[in-house]
Amino acid sequence: MAKVFIYPATSLILSDLVARFGHKPLGAALGIRERIQTAGIDSPPLQITPEEPKRGLKYAAVEVPSGVRGRMAIYGPLIEEAEAAVIVTDADLAFGCMGCARTDELILFSLRQSDIPILELNYPANEEEGVQFVAAIKKFLAGLPNGDEA
Amino acid sequence: MSRKVRIAQLSCGPEYSGVQKEIYDAAGAVGAEIFFPDIALADVERAVEEFGLDVRSADLKLMIARGLALVDGKIDADGVFIGTCFRCAEAAIVRNELRRYIPEHSRLPVVSYSFTERTTAGTLLTRMEALTTIARRRALLAREEQTGITMGVDSGSSTTKAVVMRDDEIVGTGWHPTTEVLKSSDSAVADALDMAGLTREDIQAIGTTGYGRFLVGKHLGADLIQEELTVNSKGAVYLADHQRGASTVIDIGGMDNKAISVIDGIPGTFTMGGICAGASGRFLEMTAKRLGVDITELGPLAMKGVGENVPMNSYCIVFGTQSLVNALAAGSSREDVAAAACHSVAEQVFEQQLQEIDIKEPVIMVGGTSLIEGLVYAMGQLLQTEVIVPPHSQYIGAVGSALLASGFIKGE
């Protein structure tokens, strides 16, 4: 079983796919809702304290906005822990999304800098692409150490 | 108990900055409640396209969608709080554009703030108080005439001012440096009453404002305890005899600065703060001290000098003072240094705060620093307009309080 970081970290679909193939998904496990009644699109389930942005200084300098550092305090350790990553770019908001584009840039950069296998895919635009999308993820996950067939 | 003022929050980053609780607390302290406009995910991209600002962050897209829903009247609110992370350029663009768009297309008062993880409820309190006052007390803020005998006290960070008004005229004033808050207030009140030839018993209603407003208000049994943003706006347009229409009020204070875009005497958008004490009256006090002149002499001295002759950047009061010492050591004249200090403060307020509101003429400068003519001149140069300094401008908060307090006279 490999620890696989998923991006967008809030994607329940990606999280489910990774788990189905016998790996451990590393993400936020937040569902993006049809109606948004919280402060942000990916609001954390628990109150984050001002300590998180300070912990985030490990991943981003002090001149980086506090929201980015607060997010990195959560995602930074997961990226360090990750043994592989599946990155889906230009995803539909409903597929899973993260509120801050600057954090996204830093997360993707950090993943690409780490020496782990990464699968990068564009979000599918039609059914045919959707089939290829799932097949590519399946092949990638099956190739990771101790991956299972779903 | 009156209904809670409902403030719609449009934001990006407060939760991950750990400051959402501070926003709730600040709103709760002034009898308001924060809510997040309910938006369908499917409407977010559509709203962004309609607004025409193509941003990448999903939370900024959500802010835009919520702003448009408020303007369209799909969601009811009494006021809007817009908050984004400090130092985020993408968020600053959205924050500024929404802050401009919402008041232009609705009657909703808006306050905006860029926060860090160090932002506290205390920092946000005055802004929230102003926002709720505008929403809750429109009728009171519409008052254009002072009636009866009232007193206003402005307990500021540097000075405490008191004003007694009778039948729409200022009949007594008092001014004391703020040392012990209550003692300074008692002294200013005593002077104002003495000048008016009245006693405390003659006063029919009292209003307090400024940093010490709660303490002084309780001490005096005030009828109105009000933050300085709304009070100063009222005082400024009242004294400048420009109560109707648009105007801009600038108050460079001892500890912070206020820039307020006013419409019919009611604040529309406003900013409060300053990056550093280098942009405050405190820096000019230090400059006067270093030049060996009284603060009242700094303005006339600056008018004789040419600021461009002295390189000075007062973004930090320490480095600003260093520039000042260096310039004097290099042989610059006191006049040029005084002019440079005034220009430096005006420039920082111009760059940091006036960019965040829409400047509408007339521009009215108030507060103690408005008596420093070198500073007023520098601001006028930067804004390319004539800046109005109304009579009694240093008593602005006290006058605004006395004016609004007359709404509390029995039978009014």
Side-chain angles (χ1 to χ4, degrees), chain B residues 221-295:
Chain B
D223 304 270
L224 174 74
I225 299 172
Q226 194 63 58
E227 41 62 45
E228 50 272 36
L229 286 160
T230 46
V231 166
N232 286 11
S233 299
K234 281 308 292 181
V237 296
Y238 172 79
L239 287 178
D241 197 19
H242 192 86
Q243 303 217 48
R244 297 290 170 92
S247 58
T248 304
V249 176
I250 300 172
D251 180 2
I252 301 176
M255 207 156 87
D256 62 35
N257 309 317
K258 297 155 204 88
I260 314 162
S261 178
V262 183
I263 296 166
D264 294 337
I266 297 174
T269 55
F270 51 83
T271 67
M272 186 181 172
I275 294 299
C276 176
S280 72
R282 194 79 70 190
F283 178 63
L284 296 175
E285 268 181 11
M286 285 188 63
T287 303
K289 196 175 167 190
R290 182 65 185 79
L291 295 177
V293 296
D294 188 77
I295 185 73

Side-chain angles (χ1 to χ4, degrees), chain B residues 120-307:
Chain B
T120 62
T123 317
L124 299 169
L125 188 67
T126 299
R127 294 165 177 86
M128 287 291 185
E129 195 183 346
L131 193 60
T132 54
T133 301
I134 298 163
R136 184 180 273 152
R137 290 181 162 165
R138 272 196 182 268
L140 178 70
L141 295 179
R143 170 168 289 272
E144 294 181 355
E145 193 181 345
Q146 188 273 343
T147 52
I149 302 173
T150 60
M151 182 166 69
V153 180
D154 179 0
S155 175
S157 64
S158 296
T159 55
T160 301
K161 287 79 67 179
V163 155
V164 175
M165 293 184 76
R166 178 165 55 194
D167 299 334
D168 220 20
E169 274 186 33
I170 296 166
V171 292
T173 59
W175 180 100
H176 276 264
T178 303
T179 48
E180 286 179 60
V181 171
L182 291 181
K183 267 191 185 174
S184 302
S185 156
D186 285 344
S187 303
V189 166
D191 287 355
L193 287 171
D194 189 43
M195 187 176 162
L198 297 166
T199 65
R200 271 292 305 275
E201 288 66 40
D202 296 318
I203 304 295
Q204 295 171 282
I206 298 174
T208 61
T209 190
Y211 281 94
R213 62 188 178 277
F214 293 110
L215 188 64
V216 174
K218 193 176 169 196
H219 176 63
L220 295 174
D223 304 270
L224 174 74
I225 299 172
Q226 194 63 58
E227 41 62 45
E228 50 272 36
L229 286 160
T230 46
V231 166
N232 286 11
S233 299
K234 281 308 292 181
V237 296
Y238 172 79
L239 287 178
D241 197 19
H242 192 86
Q243 303 217 48
R244 297 290 170 92
S247 58
T248 304
V249 176
I250 300 172
D251 180 2
I252 301 176
M255 207 156 87
D256 62 35
N257 309 317
K258 297 155 204 88
I260 314 162
S261 178
V262 183
I263 296 166
D264 294 337
I266 297 174
T269 55
F270 51 83
T271 67
M272 186 181 172
I275 294 299
C276 176
S280 72
R282 194 79 70 190
F283 178 63
L284 296 175
E285 268 181 11
M286 285 188 63
T287 303
K289 196 175 167 190
R290 182 65 185 79
L291 295 177
V293 296
D294 188 77
I295 185 73
T296 56
E297 298 167 49
L298 185 70
L301 193 68
M303 292 303 286
K304 293 180 200 155
V306 180

Side-chain angles (χ1 to χ4, degrees), chain A residues 25-60:
Chain A
L26 300 179
L30 292 170
I32 301 296
R33 301 152 301 274
E34 274 184 38
R35 299 206 71 85
I36 314 155
Q37 292 153 328
T38 48
I41 215 153
D42 61 343
S43 285
L46 295 172
Q47 171 75 30
I48 286 177
T49 73
E51 288 306 306
E52 265 75 24
K54 290 176 194 161
R55 290 192 191 105
L57 286 167
K58 182 179 176 189
Y59 307 99

Side-chain angles (χ1 to χ4, degrees), chain A residues 33-44 48 50 53 62-63 65-67 69-71 98-99 101-102 105, chain B residues 15-18 21 36-41 44-45 56-59 62 66 85-88 90 115-117:
Chain A
R33 301 152 301 274
E34 274 184 38
R35 299 206 71 85
I36 314 155
Q37 292 153 328
T38 48
I41 215 153
D42 61 343
S43 285
I48 286 177
V62 72
E63 68 263 28
S66 50
R69 286 185 278 116
R71 283 182 155 95
M98 297 162 68
R102 301 289 87 78
E105 288 158 4
Chain B
E15 293 169 316
Y16 286 95
S17 296
K21 184 180 177 300
F36 307 107
D38 181 349
I39 290 287
L41 190 63
V44 172
E45 293 289 2
R56 290 189 58 204
S57 292
D59 277 353
L62 179 61
R66 284 176 164 162
C85 292
F86 179 57
R87 293 196 183 108
C88 179
E90 185 187 31
F115 47 75
T116 69
E117 68 271 32

Side-chain angles (χ1 to χ4, degrees), chain A residues 55-129:
Chain A
R55 290 192 191 105
L57 286 167
K58 182 179 176 189
Y59 307 99
V62 72
E63 68 263 28
V64 175
S66 50
V68 176
R69 286 185 278 116
R71 283 182 155 95
M72 287 309 290
I74 294 164
Y75 294 119
L78 295 180
I79 293 169
E80 287 176 344
E81 201 184 329
E83 294 161 328
V86 176
I87 296 170
V88 178
T89 50
D90 297 325
D92 186 87
L93 291 180
F95 176 76
C97 68
M98 297 162 68
C100 171
R102 301 289 87 78
T103 310
D104 292 356
E105 288 158 4
L106 188 53
I107 286 175
L108 295 182
F109 177 74
S110 303
L111 286 169
R112 289 166 187 149
Q113 289 294 301
S114 63
D115 191 22
I116 57 172
I118 295 175
L119 175 68
E120 288 199 47
L121 296 164
N122 278 328
Y123 186 70
N126 52 46
E127 194 177 336
E128 191 186 336
E129 284 182 17

